[in-house]
Amino acid sequence: MPTHRRAALVTLAAAVLALGTPGLAAPAPAAGATASSDVYVAPTGDDHADGTARHPVRTLDRARDLVRARAARLRADLTVHLAPGTYRRTKPLVLDARDSGGNGHKVIWQGTGDGTLVSGGRRVTGWQREPGRPGLWSAPAPQGLRDTRQLYVDGVRAQRARGTVPVTLTQTDTGYIASADTLAHWKHPADAEFVYTSGEALWNVERNGLGQWTEPRCRIAAAEGTTITMTQPCWDNSNKRVEFPDIPGRTVSMVGPGKLTNGGKPSYVENAYELLDQPGEWYLDRSAHRVFYLPRKGENLARADVEAAEAEKLVEGQGTADAPVHDIAFRGIEFGYATWLTPSTAEGFSEIQAGYTITGDKGWATQGLCQYVEGGTCPFASWTKMPGNVSFAHGQRIDFADDVFAHLGASGLELGAGSTDSTVSGSIFTDISGNGMEIGGVDGQTPASGVQVTDNHLYGLPREYHGGVAILNGYTRHDTIAHNQIDHVGYSAVSLGWGGWPDKIGDPATANPSHDNAVRNNLIFDYMQMLDDGGGVYTQGLTGTSIADGEKVTGNVIHDQWGLGKNVYTDNGCTYETVEGNVLYSASYANVASRHTDYRDGLGNNDPTLVKDNWWEEGTADGDNKGLVTTGNTIRTGPSDVPSDVIQNAGLEPAFRTLLDRRIGAPSVPEAPSRVGTATAGADALWVTFNPTFADGGSPVTGYTARGYDAAGRQVAEQSVSAAEFKRTALVRLTVPTGPVTVTVTARNAYGESAPSLASAPLAATAANTLPAAPTGPKLRTAATAATLAWTPPTATGDARVTGYRVTVSDGRIPIDVTGRDVLVTQPSAKGMFRVIGGLEPGTAYTVTVAAVTAAGVGPAATVTATTRSTAQ
């Protein structure tokens, strides 16, 4: 346990003892403090009390007011002691310059760790069985609750009722024409929300969003007969994005398409009573003021703590450039059960990237488009940021330590514009709907500076807005993101920078104030488990003015990527980036990429980038490609190739590793897998792949089960696979009868089986007789004792999908079977692949072949020959 957390628990234990024992003296003040300076708060306190240990106040607002009266004359740190319990909020605790520390001292809001919760939730009680619906329960909504997007049962997030759209939709200017009037007969069709999951077009998985990295949402405005009208401005903001008149298909935003892809087809529909059909699903009938819920196995609603998230912010620091809020610390506090209601309004969630959205009437025509359209707002790409449930603007020396951000409906923590010299350490971020943490902004306001994010554990997010990232860093200076562990996330782990997209049309990246930012010694794994085109560290735009003050990505260990992308992704306009001393492996088609032209001059050089002394699998040779310098990198064949101190130094430092033992909420079954796709595995079987769940319910996923259903809905097939085997192959082979079959997948852990996923599109197994063509462009990138074989998938795959590759080496070793998720995601996108071959002899010529494998068999091979380097080189 970190020392400061242990000290906090001792202090609070003494305070609680004093509160509960008549006649017992109050705890002695800390050295340098005065007995009257601290403020004590308890859920059973009285706001008419004086806030002493014997007579605590009840609310955070009253404690703030007592602090405000004392803060200006501080002679020592002032601590607000929060006794164990739940402090419920319907509105945020608002702090401004008057609530700051002073004279070199801080105001410390001190909790007890697990025992102190600042909650935006309202408890739902009075549950009864719903007549005529076996298994369904309902309860009156809490008085005054007008809406929510989140419900939790014993700290476990429930799923808003969802399912496939029950009609065929044809897109119109205002929405859709449906094949039947089914939706018009729903109780409240205007509550329903269409969700457009993107990602790569893997097998028969559709790409329905606004770019592979997005998952926009728009609500139905009305369903009348077969006419479905969507809410505005969400619909136009998602379908009318301005395109350059002389560049067909290129939006002026330069980020994603101009309208919803795949004919505007939604991936699924959410938030309707008629969709309640799986354990763990819920629905709020706002008209009837009633909550409906289908309990999971083992849940007892008579005893369960059921919380509906109501407050949209829990703490809001309202500093300004002229009057910053400063010198405040939050320690040992859990922030939970807050929501964010904007996506439920007509604004919806028209996503651009990383939770940024286009908003406002005709936002599609002007927002963030700056110099590229008449009336465009500046700076370029200054779209609307997802808010933080805990947020600060113009905060100086704001510190969070040993806190928990969980069960939240927006971003967890936002240190926005003007945040300086602030720290976030020893904290947990999980079960958050969107971004875990946001630093700075992209709207041209004062950049964040000197923010230190160290030794935190971020995992199991984002749970609702799946294009969110664990840590989002905008335009900032001297920020450090170090020694964090980030694992099991739906998209990118760390995202830095902004405004680099103009290089897509030959313009320089947007000028911005960023420089001297560092991402170092983090441990990142099992990322991009739902969406694509991201990275462990994703960065873009100008990062400084030279290699010396540009961004540094150093000492990180990044591995086990699921979606299509890179370990370190240097995207458009990423300039003056240094990627050095990292351990990078198990990516889909690049450890470090991509190369971009530097359009700040007409010289044709690349954005200056230094890729140095990494341990990786990519194997690119040393060289200077017009400013993209690659030097001193080592091909990694396994853990023994990397110095142990490099591995041990990544992730949480020793004093903080107890964070990994702490789990939030009651253990439960996992969340369902997503994006199930199938392909033929021969005349009697289908291959099944899917996005594995990144929300494991507090217990590791041990396996998955695929089930097939015929056109009448009867189960006709079932096959299970262990989590370890699926992670290696990304495939389940399901034997099926003749005829079209849809497939669902469940995940299981020590607490049981998840609800089934949404079903795949129907597919019939067919015989595969035509072999695939040979892969193209084989290359062998050699070191002394290892080589990286790189190739591009075949242009023709015959009558089946590529599920693997067979690699042979001329030294006679057993052929290497290449399997895994990247085999599947790189095929439709024609992205290159690579695999490391170890155990080679220095100075020796080798011939290597690679052939594609489908249900029809092993196709013809492509061949390449190269000589390993001598040890003297």
Side-chain angles (χ1 to χ4, degrees), residues 291-347:
V291 182
F292 296 87
Y293 180 62
L294 274 169
R296 300 180 179 96
K297 183 178 179 181
E299 289 178 337
N300 184 335
L301 295 182
R303 297 195 301 264
D305 176 22
V306 181
E307 300 280 344
E310 180 183 31
E312 296 194 71
K313 281 187 182 288
L314 300 175
V315 177
E316 184 171 19
Q318 295 181 348
T320 66
D322 295 329
V325 57
H326 58 89
D327 297 291
I328 299 177
F330 298 86
R331 298 175 182 168
I333 300 174
E334 182 172 346
F335 300 96
Y337 303 112
T339 190
W340 177 38
L341 296 178
T342 297
S344 295
T345 70
E347 286 284 6

Side-chain angles (χ1 to χ4, degrees), residues 610-678:
L610 176 62
V611 182
K612 179 183 179 184
D613 295 339
N614 300 284
W615 292 267
W616 63 356
E617 296 176 326
E618 186 174 323
T620 302
D622 288 358
D624 183 344
N625 184 1
K626 298 180 180 179
L628 171 56
V629 177
T630 304
T631 181
N633 302 288
T634 301
I635 294 178
R636 175 197 176 276
T637 62
S640 61
D641 293 332
V642 182
S644 60
D645 61 326
V646 175
I647 302 294
Q648 293 167 4
N649 196 40
L652 299 173
E653 295 176 280
F656 294 90
R657 289 176 186 167
T658 54
L659 290 177
L660 302 179
D661 300 325
R662 185 175 178 186
R663 290 291 169 179
I664 308 302
S668 70
V669 300
E671 184 177 314
S674 63
R675 293 181 59 74
V676 180
T678 53

Side-chain angles (χ1 to χ4, degrees), residues 160 162 209 298 386 389 393 444 446 603 625 658 686 739 794:
R160 284 209 308 175
R162 68 174 182 175
M386 176 185 297
N389 291 130
T446 307
L603 301 178
N625 184 1
T658 54
L686 295 176

Side-chain angles (χ1 to χ4, degrees), residues 34-47:
T34 63
S36 61
S37 62
D38 286 1
V39 175
Y40 292 81
V41 196
T44 56
D46 182 350
D47 275 356

Side-chain angles (χ1 to χ4, degrees), residues 313-612:
K313 281 187 182 288
L314 300 175
V315 177
E316 184 171 19
Q318 295 181 348
T320 66
D322 295 329
V325 57
H326 58 89
D327 297 291
I328 299 177
F330 298 86
R331 298 175 182 168
I333 300 174
E334 182 172 346
F335 300 96
Y337 303 112
T339 190
W340 177 38
L341 296 178
T342 297
S344 295
T345 70
E347 286 284 6
F349 188 74
S350 181
E351 188 170 26
I352 281 279
Q353 185 167 322
Y356 278 85
T357 57
I358 295 179
T359 59
D361 293 339
K362 294 191 176 180
W364 55 272
T366 60
Q367 190 176 25
L369 300 186
C370 205
Q371 72 270 29
Y372 293 109
V373 297
E374 184 177 354
T377 59
C378 292
F380 174 72
S382 57
W383 298 296
T384 303
K385 183 168 63 173
M386 176 185 297
N389 291 130
V390 177
S391 67
F392 276 81
H394 292 282
Q396 298 177 356
R397 298 176 296 282
I398 308 298
D399 300 331
F400 290 86
D402 303 322
D403 298 312
V404 173
F405 298 83
H407 316 322
L408 296 172
S411 174
L413 172 62
E414 177 187 0
L415 298 178
S419 296
T420 61
D421 301 324
S422 298
T423 64
V424 183
S425 66
S427 296
I428 292 174
F429 293 77
T430 190
D431 190 21
I432 296 170
S433 288
N435 298 315
M437 187 187 314
E438 297 175 343
I439 309 167
V442 300
D443 55 5
Q445 296 184 27
T446 307
S449 178
V451 176
Q452 310 289 308
V453 179
T454 59
D455 288 296
N456 303 285
H457 187 201
L458 302 96
Y459 69 96
L461 58 89
R463 294 295 299 274
E464 187 173 1
Y465 311 108
H466 294 116
V469 302
I471 300 176
L472 177 65
N473 188 88
Y475 294 150
T476 64
R477 299 170 174 171
H478 297 286
D479 281 4
T480 298
I481 300 169
H483 287 292
N484 302 286
Q485 178 168 317
I486 305 174
D487 61 272
H488 295 88
V489 292
Y491 180 52
S492 296
V494 180
S495 180
L496 303 99
W498 207 250
W501 298 287
D503 82 353
K504 291 182 177 181
I505 60 168
D507 284 356
T510 304
N512 72 76
S514 297
H515 61 80
D516 289 292
N517 293 311
V519 181
R520 56 178 175 79
N521 305 117
N522 299 284
L523 174 60
I524 298 169
F525 60 94
D526 285 333
Y527 58 97
M528 290 177 61
Q529 288 194 229
M530 191 163 184
L531 297 181
D532 295 274
D533 200 9
V537 175
Y538 170 92
T539 185
Q540 64 129 297
L542 295 168
T543 77
T545 62
S546 67
I547 284 290
D549 73 358
E551 191 172 274
K552 307 294 189 298
V553 178
T554 61
N556 303 283
V557 176
I558 306 174
H559 63 91
D560 286 299
Q561 171 189 296
W562 284 91
L564 186 69
K566 303 104 176 178
N567 295 133
V568 178
Y569 189 164
T570 55
D571 203 1
N572 297 102
C574 182
T575 306
Y576 300 125
E577 182 81 2
T578 296
V579 182
E580 181 176 0
N582 304 282
V583 182
L584 310 170
Y585 61 98
S586 295
S588 58
Y589 69 97
N591 295 135
V592 181
S594 300
R595 175 182 60 80
H596 295 280
T597 301
D598 186 351
Y599 289 105
R600 294 175 303 160
D601 54 41
L603 301 178
N605 291 321
N606 293 318
D607 292 325
T609 306
L610 176 62
V611 182
K612 179 183 179 184

Side-chain angles (χ1 to χ4, degrees), residues 36-41 47-51 57-73 78 80 89 92-96 98-100 107 109:
S36 61
S37 62
D38 286 1
V39 175
Y40 292 81
V41 196
D47 275 356
H48 294 95
D50 59 8
V57 297
R58 182 177 61 84
T59 66
L60 305 183
D61 304 84
R62 179 57 180 155
R64 175 204 58 199
D65 294 344
L66 292 175
V67 169
R68 185 172 289 178
R70 305 172 189 181
R73 56 181 185 273
L78 189 162
V80 181
R89 311 289 311 174
L93 172 66
V94 176
L95 304 174
D96 59 31
R98 295 170 293 174
D99 308 304
S100 304
V107 173
W109 294 75

